[in-house]
Amino acid sequence: MCDLLVIGGLGVDVRVRVPRLPLPVVDSVTVDPIELRVGNTGAGVVLAAHALGLRVTVLDTVGADPAGAVVRAALARTGVRTVLADDPAGTRRSVNLVDPGGRRMSLYDPRDSDGPPPFAAARVAELVQDATHVHLSIMGWVRKLLPDLGDLLSEGVGSSTDLHDWDGHNPYHRPFADVAELVLVSGAALDDRAATVAGTLAPRPVLVTWGADGADLYLGGDVRRIPAAVPPGPVIDTNGAGDAFAAGIITARSRGATWAEAAGYASRVAAASCTHDGMEYPPGLLPRD
């Protein structure tokens, strides 16, 4: 058994520290060394959950390219169980511009192929049935498997998805929301429509995240404000904070916490993640209590 199966979402981040956001329109800007590192939303959940002590399995596609080698090496350093298929389209990647305050803007290249899912439904079902919780990343190939996953996830397996770029209208995201037990959405993307969108997803718990302004937990017709936690050190990099938040909720729920308790704990996990450069967290950085 594993505590958490993360389906999809591996890639690399090209991290670029910039003097400010938005950037001025000029011919060139001198920046600190540009680094290629493991990243993207699924990796963020995997690495944070592992750092919090969960037994994690990740199922995804990775290109047979230099970027894919970065992903494979990072996962090998953790000992996380991996079930990977080669992606002919190459490894997903993001260019993340990070300002001195840790704010970021991400330019995302999904590299999604138009082919069939790279894993047979029976193989995915086998892994789901071996997990206590399943987190669904919003990859194209994962979306194609959602009809097969729906029945499995209704059989006592916890599940979640993070629709971090959903505007509330794009039909691409809705099937993920319909399948998952817990849905996370971004307040920055939804703005004043956040409450309405959360209402359409009831009665399942919905967390509307507002970054440094905390989150709102919609549960059973009630709304509870989840304050942002104070980072235990200087904010260095906010990449992966939302993923660490999701990992914190999953971890706390696996240990018997209520939804509100889990969200409060997740807020502390996310705050701590911002004090580290990258998603490969050193032991003791993320709070386990």
Side-chain angles (χ1 to χ4, degrees):
M1 291 289 292
C2 72
D3 301 308
L4 171 63
L5 170 66
V6 177
I7 303 181
L10 297 178
V12 295
D13 289 344
V14 181
R15 200 281 312 280
V16 185
R17 292 202 174 275
V18 296
R20 62 182 181 275
L21 288 174
L23 281 173
V25 181
V26 296
D27 180 71
S28 65
V29 177
T30 300
V31 298
D32 290 342
I34 296 174
E35 299 180 8
L36 183 69
R37 58 180 62 182
V38 66
N40 288 208
T41 181
V45 176
V46 167
L47 294 170
H50 171 74
L52 292 173
L54 294 191
R55 297 168 297 172
V56 184
T57 299
V58 58
L59 173 75
D60 200 7
T61 62
V62 176
D65 50 23
V70 171
V71 175
R72 295 174 191 274
L75 294 174
R77 286 192 288 271
T78 67
V80 164
R81 182 189 179 198
T82 61
V83 182
L84 304 177
D86 286 339
D87 191 335
T91 303
R92 303 175 203 98
R93 59 202 70 190
S94 297
V95 176
N96 292 334
L97 309 180
V98 183
D99 74 5
R103 296 183 309 145
R104 67 103 188 233
M105 177 179 180
S106 180
L107 309 175
Y108 179 51
D109 171 6
R111 296 294 176 104
D112 279 340
S113 62
D114 295 327
F119 302 96
R123 176 58 171 145
V124 178
E126 181 181 278
L127 292 168
V128 169
Q129 291 167 342
D130 193 44
T132 302
H133 188 99
V134 176
H135 184 77
L136 302 166
S137 300
I138 54 174
M139 307 294 99
W141 74 264
V142 180
R143 191 176 189 270
K144 295 173 184 176
L145 283 172
L146 291 179
D148 297 308
L149 290 173
D151 291 340
L152 291 170
L153 296 179
S154 66
E155 296 176 358
V157 178
S159 59
S160 54
T161 191
D162 187 352
L163 310 182
H164 50 84
D165 61 349
W166 192 32
D167 61 4
H169 300 298
N170 189 338
Y172 176 90
H173 299 73
R174 186 71 202 206
F176 290 94
D178 290 339
V179 165
E181 173 193 16
L182 167 68
V183 179
L184 293 92
V185 293
S186 167
L190 295 171
D191 199 19
D192 58 1
R193 291 177 291 109
T196 300
V197 171
T200 68
L201 300 175
R204 76 198 67 214
V206 178
L207 270 157
V208 180
T209 59
W210 299 95
D213 293 324
D216 294 320
L217 171 63
Y218 290 77
L219 183 63
D222 295 326
V223 183
R224 178 173 295 195
R225 184 67 179 162
I226 307 298
V230 177
V235 173
I236 296 174
D237 186 4
T238 58
N239 287 305
D243 305 323
F245 186 87
I249 294 170
I250 295 166
T251 301
R253 288 288 294 172
S254 74
R255 295 170 181 166
T258 66
W259 287 111
E261 291 169 344
Y265 169 69
S267 181
R268 293 195 294 118
V269 172
S273 75
C274 295
T275 66
H276 178 68
D277 194 6
M279 297 181 183
E280 294 187 68
Y281 304 107
L285 180 83
L286 303 185
R288 290 200 179 193
D289 58 312

